[in-house]
PDB file of all heavy atoms in Angstrom:
ATOM      1  N   GLN A 106     -15.486  -5.925 -15.897  1.00  0.00           N
ATOM      2  CA  GLN A 106     -16.908  -6.295 -15.789  1.00  0.00           C
ATOM      3  C   GLN A 106     -17.458  -5.935 -14.410  1.00  0.00           C
ATOM      4  O   GLN A 106     -18.620  -5.556 -14.282  1.00  0.00           O
ATOM      5  CB  GLN A 106     -17.086  -7.791 -16.028  1.00  0.00           C
ATOM      6  CG  GLN A 106     -16.987  -8.196 -17.469  1.00  0.00           C
ATOM      7  CD  GLN A 106     -17.119  -9.706 -17.647  1.00  0.00           C
ATOM      8  OE1 GLN A 106     -17.336 -10.452 -16.704  1.00  0.00           O
ATOM      9  NE2 GLN A 106     -16.965 -10.149 -18.889  1.00  0.00           N
ATOM     10  N   ARG A 107     -16.616  -6.053 -13.401  1.00  0.00           N
ATOM     11  CA  ARG A 107     -17.047  -5.747 -12.031  1.00  0.00           C
ATOM     12  C   ARG A 107     -16.923  -4.261 -11.702  1.00  0.00           C
ATOM     13  O   ARG A 107     -17.286  -3.824 -10.617  1.00  0.00           O
ATOM     14  CB  ARG A 107     -16.225  -6.546 -11.025  1.00  0.00           C
ATOM     15  CG  ARG A 107     -16.414  -8.043 -11.134  1.00  0.00           C
ATOM     16  CD  ARG A 107     -15.618  -8.753 -10.075  1.00  0.00           C
ATOM     17  NE  ARG A 107     -15.593 -10.198 -10.292  1.00  0.00           N
ATOM     18  CZ  ARG A 107     -15.133 -11.069  -9.409  1.00  0.00           C
ATOM     19  NH1 ARG A 107     -14.654 -10.653  -8.238  1.00  0.00           N
ATOM     20  NH2 ARG A 107     -15.130 -12.360  -9.683  1.00  0.00           N
ATOM     21  N   GLY A 108     -16.356  -3.480 -12.605  1.00  0.00           N
ATOM     22  CA  GLY A 108     -16.184  -2.046 -12.359  1.00  0.00           C
ATOM     23  C   GLY A 108     -15.104  -1.746 -11.329  1.00  0.00           C
ATOM     24  O   GLY A 108     -15.196  -0.752 -10.601  1.00  0.00           O
ATOM     25  N   ILE A 109     -14.073  -2.579 -11.296  1.00  0.00           N
ATOM     26  CA  ILE A 109     -13.001  -2.441 -10.320  1.00  0.00           C
ATOM     27  C   ILE A 109     -11.821  -1.711 -10.955  1.00  0.00           C
ATOM     28  O   ILE A 109     -11.331  -2.104 -12.025  1.00  0.00           O
ATOM     29  CB  ILE A 109     -12.536  -3.831  -9.813  1.00  0.00           C
ATOM     30  CG1 ILE A 109     -13.704  -4.640  -9.252  1.00  0.00           C
ATOM     31  CG2 ILE A 109     -11.396  -3.693  -8.816  1.00  0.00           C
ATOM     32  CD1 ILE A 109     -14.335  -4.067  -8.020  1.00  0.00           C
ATOM     33  N   GLU A 110     -11.355  -0.654 -10.298  1.00  0.00           N
ATOM     34  CA  GLU A 110     -10.181   0.077 -10.771  1.00  0.00           C
ATOM     35  C   GLU A 110      -8.931  -0.742 -10.479  1.00  0.00           C
ATOM     36  O   GLU A 110      -8.779  -1.295  -9.393  1.00  0.00           O
ATOM     37  CB  GLU A 110     -10.108   1.437 -10.075  1.00  0.00           C
ATOM     38  CG  GLU A 110      -9.020   2.342 -10.599  1.00  0.00           C
ATOM     39  CD  GLU A 110      -8.984   3.696  -9.910  1.00  0.00           C
ATOM     40  OE1 GLU A 110      -9.842   3.981  -9.057  1.00  0.00           O
ATOM     41  OE2 GLU A 110      -8.066   4.469 -10.231  1.00  0.00           O
ATOM     42  N   TYR A 111      -8.011  -0.806 -11.446  1.00  0.00           N
ATOM     43  CA  TYR A 111      -6.806  -1.613 -11.291  1.00  0.00           C
ATOM     44  C   TYR A 111      -5.612  -0.888 -11.896  1.00  0.00           C
ATOM     45  O   TYR A 111      -5.748   0.118 -12.596  1.00  0.00           O
ATOM     46  CB  TYR A 111      -6.993  -2.992 -11.941  1.00  0.00           C
ATOM     47  CG  TYR A 111      -7.183  -2.917 -13.431  1.00  0.00           C
ATOM     48  CD1 TYR A 111      -6.097  -2.960 -14.303  1.00  0.00           C
ATOM     49  CD2 TYR A 111      -8.455  -2.773 -13.980  1.00  0.00           C
ATOM     50  CE1 TYR A 111      -6.265  -2.858 -15.668  1.00  0.00           C
ATOM     51  CE2 TYR A 111      -8.636  -2.670 -15.347  1.00  0.00           C
ATOM     52  CZ  TYR A 111      -7.541  -2.723 -16.189  1.00  0.00           C
ATOM     53  OH  TYR A 111      -7.707  -2.608 -17.539  1.00  0.00           O
ATOM     54  N   TRP A 112      -4.454  -1.458 -11.665  1.00  0.00           N
ATOM     55  CA  TRP A 112      -3.194  -0.922 -12.174  1.00  0.00           C
ATOM     56  C   TRP A 112      -2.290  -2.109 -12.444  1.00  0.00           C
ATOM     57  O   TRP A 112      -2.308  -3.078 -11.666  1.00  0.00           O
ATOM     58  CB  TRP A 112      -2.603   0.019 -11.124  1.00  0.00           C
ATOM     59  CG  TRP A 112      -1.334   0.702 -11.517  1.00  0.00           C
ATOM     60  CD1 TRP A 112      -1.214   1.821 -12.293  1.00  0.00           C
ATOM     61  CD2 TRP A 112      -0.012   0.320 -11.159  1.00  0.00           C
ATOM     62  NE1 TRP A 112       0.113   2.159 -12.417  1.00  0.00           N
ATOM     63  CE2 TRP A 112       0.868   1.248 -11.727  1.00  0.00           C
ATOM     64  CE3 TRP A 112       0.516  -0.720 -10.405  1.00  0.00           C
ATOM     65  CZ2 TRP A 112       2.250   1.172 -11.580  1.00  0.00           C
ATOM     66  CZ3 TRP A 112       1.893  -0.794 -10.257  1.00  0.00           C
ATOM     67  CH2 TRP A 112       2.740   0.144 -10.837  1.00  0.00           C
ATOM     68  N   THR A 113      -1.506  -2.062 -13.512  1.00  0.00           N
ATOM     69  CA  THR A 113      -0.600  -3.170 -13.824  1.00  0.00           C
ATOM     70  C   THR A 113       0.807  -2.665 -14.083  1.00  0.00           C
ATOM     71  O   THR A 113       1.018  -1.491 -14.414  1.00  0.00           O
ATOM     72  CB  THR A 113      -1.062  -3.947 -15.078  1.00  0.00           C
ATOM     73  OG1 THR A 113      -0.957  -3.102 -16.215  1.00  0.00           O
ATOM     74  CG2 THR A 113      -2.484  -4.461 -14.935  1.00  0.00           C
ATOM     75  N   ASP A 114       1.755  -3.571 -13.936  1.00  0.00           N
ATOM     76  CA  ASP A 114       3.118  -3.318 -14.385  1.00  0.00           C
ATOM     77  C   ASP A 114       3.741  -4.651 -14.779  1.00  0.00           C
ATOM     78  O   ASP A 114       3.187  -5.710 -14.509  1.00  0.00           O
ATOM     79  CB  ASP A 114       3.945  -2.570 -13.335  1.00  0.00           C
ATOM     80  CG  ASP A 114       4.271  -3.378 -12.094  1.00  0.00           C
ATOM     81  OD1 ASP A 114       3.879  -4.555 -11.991  1.00  0.00           O
ATOM     82  OD2 ASP A 114       4.936  -2.835 -11.200  1.00  0.00           O
ATOM     83  N   LYS A 115       4.869  -4.579 -15.469  1.00  0.00           N
ATOM     84  CA  LYS A 115       5.613  -5.782 -15.854  1.00  0.00           C
ATOM     85  C   LYS A 115       6.973  -5.719 -15.179  1.00  0.00           C
ATOM     86  O   LYS A 115       7.615  -4.662 -15.152  1.00  0.00           O
ATOM     87  CB  LYS A 115       5.802  -5.861 -17.368  1.00  0.00           C
ATOM     88  CG  LYS A 115       4.594  -6.377 -18.097  1.00  0.00           C
ATOM     89  CD  LYS A 115       4.947  -6.739 -19.528  1.00  0.00           C
ATOM     90  CE  LYS A 115       3.760  -7.436 -20.137  1.00  0.00           C
ATOM     91  NZ  LYS A 115       4.051  -8.695 -20.708  1.00  0.00           N
ATOM     92  N   ILE A 116       7.381  -6.878 -14.654  1.00  0.00           N
ATOM     93  CA  ILE A 116       8.690  -6.952 -14.017  1.00  0.00           C
ATOM     94  C   ILE A 116       9.435  -8.173 -14.549  1.00  0.00           C
ATOM     95  O   ILE A 116       8.824  -9.169 -14.940  1.00  0.00           O
ATOM     96  CB  ILE A 116       8.581  -7.033 -12.478  1.00  0.00           C
ATOM     97  CG1 ILE A 116       7.808  -8.283 -12.050  1.00  0.00           C
ATOM     98  CG2 ILE A 116       7.961  -5.767 -11.912  1.00  0.00           C
ATOM     99  CD1 ILE A 116       7.917  -8.583 -10.566  1.00  0.00           C
ATOM    100  N   LEU A 117      10.749  -8.082 -14.555  1.00  0.00           N
ATOM    101  CA  LEU A 117      11.595  -9.225 -14.909  1.00  0.00           C
ATOM    102  C   LEU A 117      11.664 -10.116 -13.683  1.00  0.00           C
ATOM    103  O   LEU A 117      12.148  -9.712 -12.629  1.00  0.00           O
ATOM    104  CB  LEU A 117      12.986  -8.753 -15.331  1.00  0.00           C
ATOM    105  CG  LEU A 117      13.913  -9.829 -15.870  1.00  0.00           C
ATOM    106  CD1 LEU A 117      13.300 -10.519 -17.090  1.00  0.00           C
ATOM    107  CD2 LEU A 117      15.253  -9.224 -16.237  1.00  0.00           C
TER     108      LEU A 117
END
Side-chain angles (χ1 to χ4, degrees):
Q106 284 178 3
R107 296 182 190 190
I109 305 295
E110 186 179 357
Y111 64 90
W112 183 81
T113 66
D114 69 0
K115 280 193 172 234
I116 61 168
L117 187 58

